[in-house]
Amino acid sequence: MRCVTVLGPSQTGKSTLVTKLASLEGTPKKSVSPYGLSLTEFEFGGEAWCALDTPGTNESLALAQDSLLASDACILCVSPAPEEAVLAAPYLRAIEASGTPCILFVNRIDEPRGRLRDIIASLQAYSSHPLVLRQVPIREGETIVGHCDLISERAWRYREGQPSALIELPASAAEREHEARSELLEQLSEFDDWLLEEIIEDREPASDALFAIASRTLKENRIIPVLFGSASHSNGIMRLMKALRHEAPPVEALKSRLAGGAGADEAALATVSLHAYYRANIGKTILARALTDGLKQGTTLGGSGLGSVQEAGNGRPLAGGVARGAVFMAVKSDHLPAPALLTSADVLEPPAWAAPPTPMLERILVPGSERDETKLSATLAKLAETDRGLKVMQEEGTGAQLICTQGPVHLRDLCKTLSEVFRVEVSERSPNPIYRETISKPSNVHYRHRKQTGGAGQFADVQLIVRPNERGQGFTFDETVKGGTVPRNYIPAVEAGAREAMEKGPLGFQVIDVAVTLTDGQYHSVDSSDFAFRAAARMGVRQALSQASAVLMQPVARVEIHIPSVFSGSMVAIVSALKGQVLGFDRDENAKGWDLFRALVPGAALDELARALRSATQGIGYFSKAFDHFEEIYGKEADTIINTHGSGTQAH
Ligand SMILES: Nc1nc2c(ncn2[C@@H]2O[C@H](COP(=O)(O)OP(=O)(O)O)[C@@H](O)[C@H]2O)c(=O)[nH]1
Ligand SMILES: [Mg+2]
């Protein structure tokens, strides 16, 4: 079986294209995962094919990447409007990183949306491989009525609902054809010395030789050939499918690509799992592709016996086992993760390029009942195993389930799976922002803890200095006690008490960056104890903090924003509006046409940054974030935060 991924922006006609490709010769079989990955099996040219169709939203990029893990080649489907080219940038980036041979298909050419040359030029800005036009349109007025293949130089006229008809190349198209053909030969000659020679010698190379070169340059992933058509009108579909059949590399090429990318032993690779999900009453279902022959139920894979294997298109049991190259469904193989590379003994990480984008949307899941509460964390942990775009954590302070997802659609799918498959009901809320407080001036305190209850009394007396520490230094403690006024053995208890006082300061937040010094004190030979000194220090430091002009501190994150360069102009304004600080920006060395923008942004503004970035970049820009430091925050803004989130007793 040969496998191809179809990917590209939303509404470019990917799903229509897959349906048309799969229906060229017979009836396709199709299955769809709850995450929207749709898989179609069909026959073409006497071979079995599998097309993986992914939703065209940026949240689904991870799904597209996982599909590439199992694909011999991919089709990037775009609309012919040059101004929409930027929407394809994330896909070009992912395809290039993966090393998957790619055919660019400009769909919807029945719609007058712009010139082919313009769309190719716009897309070229995001690809380091040359985009090589393999056909030119034949036009009547503004309408494209057919195409001429630049290698065979055969011209075709589209016919509604029927195969295209072979025609004479119209004189009006001849000049453009000639020009485009020379361009194609020139582009191909960069990768073929023989062809270069032929061109220099002004010889006309034979079509067969050119097809062979075109095919090799796609297999070696040096170029991206460009075809066009209209999926809904079935125009250009046969040409595209034939190109795939003749030019897409065999599964062995995928195998060595995966082994190379993951640093794995190619000979040992048996299977790549690309996607997993849970179904009610069935459990974990894994989509995988066999890289060797002879896999069947019971075969040792990833260290354990493979459960039952089924046809991916319709779930029928594969009694005879799985042939090399076949995409299959594995159930009752709970030990297998996805995506992963599997040898018979081991489970290996997929290549780094397949890592999902950093999850940007953080939410707290609140269980609906006590029963749900116990089930929720176990279920989330299980889901995170099969969904690398999901991160599960606990909220600081409350211990609630904090999840990071790719975005709102991902979150919705997740809650749906929780409810429908695992019967766990949840509601959601935003995480509590994390604030801290510190002090802005030193303060001294003399505190005596004394109690006489029943028999034994309690006595401890401490004199303390509380001072602001350097930013980032945290809590420090020392002592300058002279003459044993506080005996050595009680000093650790004083430190412990001081530390306890840091748990909640006068504004109601954890206190950071404070130095406490024990300077003097008194003890009682009978009534003093660790307990008493701890209490004295705790109460004393609390009192000192309340006299030391507490200030609110907010977290500041360091963000790395990834955007196509065309959007870079708007970033400074976005970051400034969020009271962030721009640290600089550079070209992204790893992705043509992309910039990397670094900034410091208040933690509370990260949600807003995600929103602003989405709207400024048509959903394409994304960022990764890491906590950087806490910084002071004053005035009205601070008061509002203290009133909403603080649990202190003392007003600011
Ligand atoms: N005019 C025109 N419409 C198309 C073409 N291909 C698909 N469509 C329409 O575009 C819409 C989106 O198609 P779909 O295949 O769902 O796009 P996807 O989001 O990329 O999967 C549907 O209404 C299709 O009928 C085409 O070649 N020409
Ligand atoms: Mg679709």
Side-chain angles (χ1 to χ4, degrees), residues 9-17 53 107-111 229-233:
S10 189
Q11 291 292 309
T12 50
K14 297 180 295 300
S15 302
T16 312
L17 180 61
D53 174 20
N107 190 32
R108 310 184 72 125
I109 50 107
D110 52 311
E111 298 172 322
S230 163
S232 60
H233 292 273

Side-chain angles (χ1 to χ4, degrees), residues 497-519:
R499 218 176 258 284
E500 277 167 18
M502 300 296 140
E503 284 165 12
K504 192 188 278 187
L507 304 179
F509 304 95
Q510 193 184 321
V511 184
I512 54 168
D513 298 342
V514 167
V516 175
T517 309
L518 173 68
T519 55

Side-chain angles (χ1 to χ4, degrees), residues 50-96:
C50 172
L52 298 167
D53 174 20
T54 59
T57 67
N58 283 293
E59 283 182 51
S60 312
L61 203 60
L63 217 49
Q65 288 176 325
D66 293 347
S67 304
L68 292 177
L69 277 172
S71 295
D72 303 322
C74 65
I75 301 170
L76 174 59
C77 185
V78 299
S79 97
E83 69 277 10
E84 289 174 22
V86 69
L87 296 175
Y91 301 98
L92 278 165
R93 180 182 180 149
I95 292 165
E96 197 162 314

Side-chain angles (χ1 to χ4, degrees), residues 80-194:
E83 69 277 10
E84 289 174 22
V86 69
L87 296 175
Y91 301 98
L92 278 165
R93 180 182 180 149
I95 292 165
E96 197 162 314
S98 76
T100 313
C102 170
I103 296 178
L104 176 68
F105 188 70
V106 182
N107 190 32
R108 310 184 72 125
I109 50 107
D110 52 311
E111 298 172 322
R113 300 285 290 281
R115 295 182 341 147
L116 212 51
R117 265 177 279 185
D118 295 336
I119 175 77
I120 294 172
S122 307
L123 287 165
Q124 186 68 68
Y126 303 107
S127 172
S128 48
H129 299 309
L131 304 180
V132 176
L133 193 59
R134 289 277 303 265
Q135 309 170 301
V136 284
I138 295 169
R139 293 176 190 271
E140 272 175 20
E142 281 304 294
T143 315
I144 297 178
V145 297
H147 67 87
C148 178
D149 187 280
L150 291 176
I151 292 184
S152 68
E153 298 200 270
R154 294 208 285 179
W156 302 86
R157 190 182 179 91
Y158 298 142
R159 290 188 300 177
E160 190 69 46
Q162 289 178 64
S164 300
L166 189 61
I167 55 165
E168 280 291 314
L169 179 65
S172 58
E175 194 184 330
R176 172 72 190 117
E177 191 275 337
H178 201 72
E179 187 190 331
R181 187 167 201 268
S182 314
E183 214 170 302
L184 167 67
L185 296 196
E186 205 168 296
Q187 284 172 308
L188 291 179
S189 73
E190 289 211 15
F191 308 103
D192 194 283
D193 292 341
W194 173 82

